[in-house]
Amino acid sequence: MLTKRIIPCLDIKNGRTVKGVNFVNLKDAGDPVELAKQYALKGADELVFLDISATLEGRKTMIDMVLKVAEHVNIPFTVGGGITSINDVDLLLKSGADKVSINSSAVKRPELINELANKFGSQCVVVAIDAKQINDDWIVHLAGGSVPTNLNLFDWAKEVEARGAGEILFTSMDNDGTKAGFANQALAKLSDTLNIPIIASGGAGTVQHFVETFKEGKADAALAASVFHFGEITIEELKVALKDNNIEVRF
C-alpha cells in the first residue's frame, strides 16, 4: 500500500508566509525559509511553496526565495505562482525545486501541461485546481480564486490528466481556512475518476479531518497551512494518529 503524504503549504506574499480564510483576510504566518526548515526536520513528506500574488501582479515566482528554501530542505519541494513557460520551469528546477505547480496558466493555455510533461516528465508537473461550489456544480477559479471560469472541476481534472499532469492539487475554496474539514465528497469523486494522485487542500482543522480525507476522500496526500504554521497540530502527532487509524505513513 502506498504511504499517504503530509504536505505543509507555504503561501508567500511580499516575502512572508501568509494564511487567510476562503482566500481572503490574509495574516502573517512567519518566515518561509524558517518554516520550511522546521517542517523538513519534523517529518513533513513534501513542501509546497506558492507565490500567491505572482499571477495577479503579473510577475514571476521569487527565485531568490526558492534558492533559500531549497538550501534548507531535503524533501521534495513544489513551487508555483506566475509560471507560464518551459523557461520558467527550467529556472525553478535549476534553483532547487523538484516539481512545479501551475494553475491559471494551464487554464489559459492547456497545451502548457503537454509541453511541460514532455520536456520534464509528468512526475514534475502538478496542476493546482481551485474550485468553488456554485448551484451544486464545482466551478474552477483562477488568479488566487478571484476569477471564475466556465470550467467544471471534474471535466477539467480529466483533461489535465490526459494532457500529462502527474498530480492534481485540489483546493476547495469553500473549505479553505475554515478548519471544518476537507471536501471529501468531491475528493472521492476525483479519485474515482482519475488515475493520478490527488492532493487534498482546504479545510484542515483537526487530526480527524486528515483521517477522514484519507479514508472517505480517498486522497493520496493532504496539504495544510495554518494548523501547522500556528502549532495547532504537529506533523509527528498527526502521523501517529494516522498510523493508529491504519493509514500508512512514513516516519
Side-chain angles (χ1 to χ4, degrees):
M1 186 193 291
L2 282 175
T3 57
K4 302 296 188 180
R5 291 169 288 146
I6 301 300
I7 308 176
C9 180
L10 294 98
D11 291 328
I12 311 297
K13 187 169 186 177
N14 301 325
R16 298 288 292 175
T17 308
V18 294
K19 187 62 200 131
V21 177
N22 305 130
F23 284 40
V24 294
N25 300 327
L26 301 176
K27 65 177 178 178
D28 190 276
D31 173 59
V33 178
E34 207 44 54
L35 283 169
K37 209 184 335 184
Q38 289 306 313
Y39 289 138
L41 286 171
K42 289 176 179 175
D45 297 297
E46 297 185 18
L47 288 171
V48 167
F49 165 31
L50 300 176
D51 189 345
I52 60 170
S53 55
T55 296
L56 272 175
E57 293 168 10
R59 58 172 175 76
K60 303 301 181 190
T61 302
M62 294 171 288
I63 293 296
D64 57 335
M65 182 74 72
V66 176
L67 284 163
K68 283 181 199 161
V69 173
E71 266 177 39
H72 292 99
V73 302
N74 56 355
I75 54 176
F77 173 35
T78 301
V79 180
I83 295 167
T84 58
S85 69
I86 282 177
N87 286 346
D88 292 343
V89 175
D90 198 41
L91 186 55
L92 286 168
L93 296 179
K94 283 175 178 164
S95 300
D98 298 284
K99 309 181 208 178
V100 294
S101 170
I102 54 173
N103 188 336
S104 298
S105 57
V107 173
K108 289 173 185 167
R109 196 171 72 81
E111 301 78 27
L112 180 63
I113 304 168
N114 304 69
E115 291 166 12
L116 297 182
N118 290 337
K119 173 80 176 170
F120 303 105
S122 290
Q123 82 290 340
C124 186
V125 184
V126 180
V127 174
I129 305 177
D130 301 331
K132 186 177 195 172
Q133 260 193 308
I134 300 172
N135 301 327
D136 296 328
D137 196 7
W138 282 93
I139 302 297
V140 175
H141 283 59
L142 305 184
S146 61
V147 180
T149 69
N150 57 2
L151 288 173
N152 165 278
L153 164 65
F154 305 102
D155 294 340
W156 175 232
K158 276 189 265 194
E159 181 176 344
V160 160
E161 178 179 45
R163 286 182 178 276
E167 218 164 4
I168 284 175
L169 166 54
F170 163 54
T171 301
S172 162
M173 292 173 62
D174 301 305
N175 298 55
D176 177 70
T178 63
K179 300 186 182 174
F182 294 91
N184 291 323
Q185 222 175 332
L187 282 160
K189 187 173 175 182
L190 278 174
S191 183
D192 290 341
T193 307
L194 307 174
N195 295 305
I196 56 176
I198 313 292
I199 304 168
S201 167
T206 67
V207 166
Q208 188 58 28
H209 291 153
F210 287 89
V211 173
E212 288 162 5
T213 205
F214 289 131
K215 290 195 168 179
E216 296 163 26
K218 305 179 185 178
D220 298 280
L223 176 145
S226 57
V227 290
F228 296 143
H229 298 339
F230 301 120
E232 293 158 43
I233 298 173
T234 68
I235 291 166
E236 190 178 26
E237 71 171 304
L238 174 57
K239 287 193 169 184
V240 168
L242 291 172
K243 194 167 190 302
D244 289 345
N245 279 273
N246 300 314
I247 295 165
E248 285 290 319
V249 288
R250 181 182 65 81
F251 282 94

